Amino acid sequence: MANEIITSAAVRETDSEKPTALCLGGGGAKGAFQIGAWQALQEAGLISGIKAAAGCSVGALNAALFALGDLDYAKQIWSSIRPADLLAPGTDGAFFSRDGLIRIINALPLERISNSPVRVHVSVQHQASGEPVYFELNGLPNESIKTLLLASSAIPHIYSPEHYLGTEYLDCGRIPQGYVCLSPVYHQGHRRIVLVSLKPVLPLDPVIEYPDADVTVIKPLKNMGNLLTGTLNFAPERIAAHLEQGYADAKAALEGFTPQPQTKEEMNAALVQKMTKLFPNGALLADFIQGFGSRLAPNIKAPTLGGNVWYDNIFEVDGWRLQQQRTAGLKSHYRILDPKNVRAAWVLSPQTLLDALCSYENAQQNSR
């Protein structure tokens, strides 16, 4: 049952356009960080490209809010939360009561979440097996959506588990795959993913776990507190501070994010912009080819005449050149020549090259 993904009966479409997915980690009150990140994504013009949202714990609540498509409403929900809503003494073995969270969820327009064009997934932990399970909320009745949102936030030893379809489920935040919540959107076909973590250090490396995905990570650049001072601190001033930090840290992370281009001219501009930023010298371009060239077309290092007749140079550095075939009907053919005119790499889809460049950039950022 490991990494089980349970979807509704919603209509399935082909992700030929490679839309972006949004993944949201858990962290209690720190979840306001993700609302600030949402604002930064919106200002960057990236919201319309996000077709799926998946979340763990408070990230599941935020994924549901994102599916509603109203940033101001999400801010209103977060600004209305008070410590007594979530930290009142519990019963039946629970440290805290769920009554406040139930009131918040009951106030949401759950039928709009069910019918949202954004596909929404939540991660929960199967209590008996300890494995992560992912449920899609689209197409589900209101009561099921409420139960799954409560289950995703049922932190072990703090809140009671939730019963759903005869099984008990808990918060999945302690399981690396469940926390990052990439699995359901990845298996849905998404390869462009924005991950908003509430932890400065991810529990797994998305570059290793999902090597063919372009994952942009937004995470806190400064400490947001421990369990008591951060996760369970729902004081209004702390929520406001987390929201501001999410906005600032997301703005910094999104400097390297390239929206998917729509035309060949936009694609070439995006390639030049990305390669100019990543490769100030030829040695770094050679490093990219060595580590990420396998994501492009299978290549045999063949000598060429330099492509002066049939190719246009798109990008150059230290004798290295990215070239585009100029023949009509073959303009999706790109190749990279080294200073000796040997073909070091080639590709038949410029989007594949751009995705590889973005993955290389994310790998460099995550290694710092």
Side-chain angles (χ1 to χ4, degrees):
M1 124 168 279
N3 296 315
E4 184 176 356
I5 301 171
I6 301 175
T7 64
S8 69
V11 175
R12 301 291 176 256
E13 74 279 357
T14 301
D15 287 315
S16 59
E17 297 281 325
K18 287 192 177 180
T20 302
L22 178 66
C23 294
L24 305 168
K30 299 174 186 178
F33 178 98
Q34 294 169 340
I35 305 303
W38 176 356
Q39 181 176 345
L41 286 165
Q42 182 166 289
E43 292 180 2
L46 302 174
I47 293 299
S48 63
I50 297 177
K51 304 303 181 184
C56 169
S57 191
V58 75
L61 174 62
N62 285 337
L65 289 173
F66 183 84
L68 295 174
D70 191 335
L71 176 59
D72 290 335
Y73 177 72
K75 287 183 177 180
Q76 178 185 336
I77 291 292
W78 272 93
S79 65
S80 68
I81 296 175
R82 295 294 180 266
D85 292 333
L86 301 173
L87 303 180
T91 58
D92 299 327
F95 199 81
F96 293 120
S97 168
R98 313 300 306 278
D99 292 344
L101 183 57
I102 290 172
R103 285 195 299 273
I104 293 170
I105 294 175
N106 281 338
L108 300 178
L110 299 178
E111 66 284 351
R112 284 179 52 199
I113 296 171
S114 178
N115 296 320
S116 173
V118 176
R119 294 170 68 176
V120 187
H121 307 264
V122 301
S123 72
V124 293
Q125 177 185 341
H126 189 280
Q127 187 180 40
S129 69
E131 297 291 345
V133 181
Y134 308 94
F135 287 93
E136 183 174 350
L137 301 187
N138 304 77
L140 294 181
N142 290 359
E143 196 62 31
S144 295
I145 294 175
K146 181 176 77 172
T147 299
L148 289 170
L149 289 176
L150 287 170
S152 187
S153 61
I155 304 173
H157 311 301
I158 294 182
Y159 297 114
S160 300
E162 290 291 321
H163 296 264
Y164 183 65
L165 301 180
T167 303
E168 290 191 332
Y169 294 102
L170 293 162
D171 181 299
C172 204
R174 296 187 298 178
I175 303 173
Q177 283 282 3
Y179 177 83
V180 299
C181 215
L182 268 69
S183 183
V185 298
Y186 181 86
H187 287 95
Q188 198 177 78
H190 293 278
R191 294 297 182 269
R192 292 172 61 82
I193 300 169
V194 176
L195 168 60
V196 186
S197 172
L198 301 178
K199 299 179 179 180
V201 179
L202 292 175
L204 60 79
D205 187 343
V207 174
I208 295 176
E209 297 291 330
Y210 302 93
D212 62 333
D214 168 19
V215 183
T216 296
V217 178
I218 299 172
K219 58 185 179 181
L221 300 181
K222 63 180 181 180
N223 190 284
M224 293 190 359
N226 56 28
L227 178 65
L228 296 178
T229 64
T231 305
L232 298 179
N233 187 351
F234 287 89
E237 62 273 14
R238 293 303 303 147
I239 289 177
H242 294 328
L243 193 150
E244 291 179 4
Q245 182 179 346
Y247 175 76
D249 291 352
K251 292 281 282 187
L254 291 173
E255 288 181 359
F257 187 90
T258 304
Q260 186 162 335
Q262 300 300 313
T263 67
K264 291 181 179 179
E265 291 75 17
E266 290 176 339
M267 177 61 73
N268 281 353
L271 288 171
V272 171
Q273 179 184 35
K274 184 68 71 176
M275 295 183 75
T276 300
K277 177 182 178 182
L278 293 177
F279 309 130
N281 58 66
L284 289 175
L285 178 51
D287 179 66
F288 161 75
I289 293 173
Q290 181 176 1
F292 288 77
S294 60
R295 302 192 182 192
L296 309 178
N299 183 62
I300 296 175
K301 292 185 177 181
T304 75
L305 297 177
N308 296 321
V309 176
W310 303 110
Y311 289 85
D312 292 319
N313 290 337
I314 303 302
F315 170 80
E316 298 182 59
V317 60
D318 293 344
W320 290 79
R321 282 147 293 153
L322 171 66
Q323 297 185 328
Q324 179 187 20
Q325 170 69 253
R326 65 172 61 141
T327 305
L330 296 176
K331 291 187 178 181
S332 62
H333 178 192
Y334 291 72
R335 68 182 186 180
I336 298 175
L337 302 186
D338 70 12
K340 296 182 178 180
N341 290 331
V342 172
R343 188 184 68 186
W346 67 284
V347 66
L348 286 174
S349 167
Q351 184 63 53
T352 299
L353 175 57
L354 184 59
D355 289 345
L357 291 169
C358 290
S359 296
Y360 172 79
E361 181 178 33
N362 290 332
Q364 299 306 304
Q365 292 174 346
N366 291 335
S367 66
R368 292 170 187 167

